[in-house]
């Protein structure tokens, strides 16, 4: 959603005020005088939206990861950004999904990253065992990241059909389908 805000020169620099939608997590912006544009080398600028507690709001790091990809940031930087979201918002299960995918890609599926993902899932299970969001995260991770089809489908079976994430809903037994 694009918004414009005219800037005014004050004693301590230029300022502009814009209304930020309540569900915003990241702002992407650039500066222009109508003829020239400063857009950070065609990458725009991006900034977190902060809450009253002084920390980035839920999904700020999650969405910033996409901006980092567009800005051609390396995989290490994107993994760290995704990790910050789960540290600050431990119940953001979608953020774990992104983190696991990036971690696995960065480490090229090595046993170290597999073990790390299983350890995180185990810690989450102790607290969220019956939570549909946790179960979706587990099923998605097992199926798409760790390629544990049979186990993923077992977990999927524990989730009410109306609570399935779209990508979990689409999971199927590849071997059974081929038969």
């Amino acid at each position: 959603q694009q918004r414009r805000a005219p800037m005014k020169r004050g004693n301590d620099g230029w300022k502009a005020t814009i209304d930020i939608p309540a569900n915003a997590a990241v702002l992407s912006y650039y500066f222009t005088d109508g003829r020239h544009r400063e857009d950070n080398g065609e990458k725009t600028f991006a900034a977190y939206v902060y809450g009253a507690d002084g920390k980035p709001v839920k999904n700020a790091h999650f969405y910033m990861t996409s901006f980092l990809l567009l800005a051609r940031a390396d995989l290490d930087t994107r993994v760290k950004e995704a990790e910050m979201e789960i540290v600050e918002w431990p119940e953001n299960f979608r953020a774990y999904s992104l983190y696991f995918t990036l971690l696995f890609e960065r480490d090229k599926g090595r046993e170290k990253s597999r073990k790390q993902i299983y350890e995180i899932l185990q810690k989450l299970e102790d607290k969220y065992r019956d939570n549909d969001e946790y179960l979706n995260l587990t099923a998605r991770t097992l199926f798409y990241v760790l390629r544990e089809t049979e186990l993923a489908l077992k977990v999927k079976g524990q989730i009410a059909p109306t609570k399935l994430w779209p990508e979990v809903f689409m999971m199927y037994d590849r071997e059974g389908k081929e038969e």
Side-chain angles (χ1 to χ4, degrees), residues 22-123:
N23 62 349
V26 174
L27 300 176
S28 172
Y29 59 95
Y30 62 89
F31 302 97
T32 182
D33 65 1
R35 292 177 297 148
H36 306 93
R37 180 174 162 153
E38 172 51 60
D39 60 6
N40 194 26
E42 297 182 354
K43 298 176 194 169
T44 77
F45 295 95
Y48 306 122
V49 173
Y50 289 85
D53 59 1
K55 74 177 189 177
V57 297
K58 183 178 179 180
N59 285 320
H61 295 288
F62 180 83
Y63 291 122
M64 186 63 80
T65 306
S66 298
F67 281 99
L68 290 171
L69 176 62
L70 292 171
R72 296 179 287 283
D74 62 46
L75 201 46
D76 237 9
T77 302
R78 291 184 286 141
V79 168
K80 288 176 188 168
E81 188 71 31
E83 183 176 35
M84 285 192 288
E85 180 72 24
I86 63 174
V87 167
E88 291 184 15
W89 297 96
E91 292 186 1
N92 187 349
F93 296 105
R94 288 280 186 182
Y96 284 96
S97 185
L98 174 64
Y99 174 66
F100 293 158
T101 301
L102 292 171
L103 181 68
F104 206 70
E105 181 182 343
R106 182 194 68 188
D107 296 344
K108 296 176 179 39
R110 292 191 185 103
E111 189 56 37
K112 175 187 165 194
S113 58
R114 293 178 73 82
K115 184 178 179 197
Q116 186 177 354
I117 291 168
Y118 277 116
E119 286 172 3
I120 292 170
L121 286 174
Q122 186 60 56
K123 284 179 187 174

Side-chain angles (χ1 to χ4, degrees), residues 115-166:
K115 184 178 179 197
Q116 186 177 354
I117 291 168
Y118 277 116
E119 286 172 3
I120 292 170
L121 286 174
Q122 186 60 56
K123 284 179 187 174
L124 290 171
E125 181 180 13
D126 294 342
K127 191 171 183 180
Y128 302 106
R129 180 178 324 274
D130 298 322
N131 179 303
D132 287 326
E133 293 294 295
Y134 162 74
L135 293 171
N136 273 291
L137 165 67
T138 301
R140 185 203 178 281
T141 302
L142 290 169
F143 192 84
Y144 294 105
V145 179
L146 302 173
R147 305 289 188 208
E148 298 282 346
T149 304
E150 191 174 315
L151 195 52
L153 292 172
K154 273 187 189 175
V155 174
K156 177 185 176 184
Q158 298 174 39
I159 307 167
T162 57
K163 302 286 185 174
L164 291 169
W165 289 356

